[in-house]
């Protein structure tokens, strides 16, 4: 089979590598335009583009695939991309975290399959890994689905599960699901080659939507239960980074441990901040031991190192406005 690939970040690059190493011909790769990144805000190619160029794959980076886009430049680039797809000899398109909506005109050319990081129909949408951790789900997984115009509504071709551990962060789970999805999409492409793939409609019950993460969500409110705060810290690691403030100074929190015992102290009160006990904070229900923190302009540090340069004992995390 000849496979057109559409994707942008590292999650997608892992899948592209697996497809390439499995021996599939990739005559075209679609990815998002280069974006400013780093301290100098220099234009940086996506992880998918870097892999494609390193392996001699043609790359296109349209701003949009919608030929009815109101912006003339986007409409023109969409038309050019559509013509390029029509001129490309391929059997199927694989889409993984592309970042652009595929219109009906694209979906109608050849079969399009998507690698989605959740157990559909739970967590359709932009941020399924973050939301699964934040919600306290016991498990998640990857669904390979046939794409249609609805948001992650297409029939399922393959689904595999993995537990969400008590210390799993979005970063950890992302890498696990990326590896799973890469191997799964190769399995599905092999089945498609032999005409034995089976499509199963998604259940009508259990649908939830994983809204895109907004930076303001990462502000922690210690009046919530310790368990909920722990989930947020793990869900927002590495982006956007959960944080609170102490005396007006923003402190990012990258790791925590649940403590069984609660406290009558006000929520946000730092109960301990020393080498023996670590950094312990009272919550609305229960308490948390913070294990990795970061102050503005500083590095991520273990709690014992952090308090050497930022004494916290007796202080309190501010209440969000």
């Amino acid at each position: 089979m000849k496979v057109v690939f559409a994707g942008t970040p590292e999650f997608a690059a892992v899948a592209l590598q697996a497809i390439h190493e499995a021996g599939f011909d990739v005559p075209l790769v679609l990815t998002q335009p280069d974006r400013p990144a780093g301290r100098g805000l220099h234009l940086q190619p996506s992880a998918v583009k870097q892999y494609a160029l390193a392996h001699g794959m043609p790359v296109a980076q349209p701003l949009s695939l919608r030929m009815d886009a109101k912006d003339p430049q986007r409409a023109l680039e969409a038309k050019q991309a559509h013509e390029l797809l029509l001129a490309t000899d391929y059997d199927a398109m694989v889409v993984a975290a592309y970042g652009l909506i595929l219109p009906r005109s694209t979906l109608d050319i050849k079969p399009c399959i998507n690698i989605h990081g959740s157990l559909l129909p739970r967590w359709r949408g932009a941020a399924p890994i973050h939301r699964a951790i934040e919600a306290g789900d016991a498990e998640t997984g990857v669904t390979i689905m046939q794409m249609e115009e609805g948001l992650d509504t297409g029939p399922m071709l393959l689904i595999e599960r993995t537990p969400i551990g008590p210390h799993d962060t979005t970063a950890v789970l992302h890498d696990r699901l990326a590896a799973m999805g890469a191997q799964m999409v190769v399995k599905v492409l092999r089945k498609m080659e032999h005409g034995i793939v089976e499509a199963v409609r998604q259940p009508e019950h259990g649908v939830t939507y994983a809204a895109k993460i907004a930076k303001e969500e990462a502000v922690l409110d210690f009046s919530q239960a310790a368990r909920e705060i722990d989930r947020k810290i793990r869900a927002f690691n590495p982006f956007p980074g959960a944080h609170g403030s102490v005396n007006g100074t923003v402190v990012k929190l990258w790791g925590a441990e649940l403590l069984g015992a609660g406290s009558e102290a006000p929520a946000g009160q730092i109960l301990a901040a020393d080498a023996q006990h670590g950094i312990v904070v009272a919550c609305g229900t229960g308490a948390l031991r913070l294990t990795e923190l970061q102050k503005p302009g500083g590095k991520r540090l273990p709690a014992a190192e952090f308090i050497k340069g930022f004494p916290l004992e007796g202080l309190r995390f501010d209440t969000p406005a």
Side-chain angles (χ1 to χ4, degrees), residues 164-177:
I164 300 177
H167 303 296
D168 280 346
T169 64
T170 289
V172 169
L173 201 52
H174 167 280
D175 291 352
R176 191 189 311 156
L177 295 181

Side-chain angles (χ1 to χ4, degrees), residues 2 5 19-20 23 34 38 41 52 57 86 94 98 121 154-156 164 169 187 190 202 253 275-276 291:
K2 296 178 180 179
F5 187 86
I19 291 168
H20 176 247
D34 297 358
L41 294 180
M57 302 173 188
L86 290 175
V94 171
Y98 181 26
M156 302 180 294
I164 300 177
T169 64
K187 291 180 185 177
R190 293 288 188 217
Q202 293 186 31
L253 308 177
Q276 181 180 358
T291 58

Side-chain angles (χ1 to χ4, degrees), residues 52-134:
L53 293 181
H55 294 84
M57 302 173 188
V59 175
Q61 298 175 270
L63 289 167
S64 173
L65 293 177
R66 301 190 68 89
M67 292 184 285
D68 60 352
K70 294 182 179 180
D71 180 81
Q73 183 61 37
R74 290 177 180 268
L76 174 60
E77 292 196 19
K79 183 175 184 295
Q80 292 172 339
H82 183 70
E83 292 172 349
L84 179 59
L85 285 169
L86 290 175
T88 300
D89 179 18
Y90 71 103
D91 301 295
M93 178 186 290
V94 171
V95 181
Y98 181 26
L100 293 183
I101 295 174
L102 269 61
R104 170 56 58 187
S105 57
T106 300
L107 297 173
D108 283 346
I109 299 174
K110 296 287 182 178
C112 297
I113 63 174
N114 177 247
I115 306 170
H116 186 75
S118 83
L119 301 174
L120 289 171
R122 185 156 176 79
W123 302 126
R124 294 174 178 172
I129 302 175
H130 299 76
R131 298 305 183 190
I133 294 175
E134 183 185 19

